[in-house]
């Protein structure tokens, strides 16, 4: 750019996008820039554009990560529900097993084993 960062006065109807000057009034407000000022301003404007682009990319990345986080939370909730169902089934199986007399059967087996050992010692 030839005059980056230079200040100027213009008609209040000036539109910087369309470059329409309204009443055609224009005047530089400051003195002419030196070469090093122009170089520094151009570098800063380029850096600003690069950082703005990088910021846009980072915003997109954050958006994607938020979507991933939401998806993962949904999956975790599904796994938690399945785990809860498995635990309930395990407890149900345990209750059924105990209610069907498995404990009593164990006691009977021990008694029979003791009797077999006792009778075998008698003869």
């Amino acid at each position: 750019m030839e005059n980056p960062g230079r200040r100027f006065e213009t008609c209040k109807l000036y539109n910087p996008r369309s470059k329409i000057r309204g009443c055609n009034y224009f005047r530089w407000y400051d003195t002419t820039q030196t070469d090093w000022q122009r170089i520094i301003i151009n570098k800063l404007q380029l850096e600003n554009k690069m950082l703005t682009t990088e910021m846009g990319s980072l915003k997109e990345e954050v958006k994607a990560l938020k979507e991933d986080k939401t998806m993962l939370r949904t999956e975790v909730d599904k796994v938690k529900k399945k785990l809860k169902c498995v635990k309930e089934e395990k407890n149900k199986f345990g209750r059924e097993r105990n209610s069907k007399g498995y404990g009593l059967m164990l006691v009977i087996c021990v008694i029979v084993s003791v009797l077999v050992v006792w009778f075998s010692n008698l003869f």
Side-chain angles (χ1 to χ4, degrees), residues 109-122:
C109 287
V110 169
I111 291 172
V112 169
S113 299
V114 169
L115 289 174
V116 167
V117 169
W118 185 68
F119 277 119
S120 65
N121 287 339
L122 285 177

Side-chain angles (χ1 to χ4, degrees), residues 1-4 33-42:
M1 294 169 80
E2 195 172 318
N3 296 300
Q33 291 177 333
T34 63
D35 286 338
W36 70 268
Q37 289 172 323
R38 189 174 298 120
I39 290 168
I40 298 276
I41 289 171
N42 282 333

Side-chain angles (χ1 to χ4, degrees), residues 45-62:
Q45 287 178 337
L46 178 62
E47 184 178 343
N48 185 29
K49 285 181 184 179
M50 290 170 51
L51 289 172
T52 301
T53 302
E54 183 180 357
M55 184 174 65
S57 297
L58 291 172
K59 283 182 179 181
E60 288 296 319
E61 187 176 342
V62 166

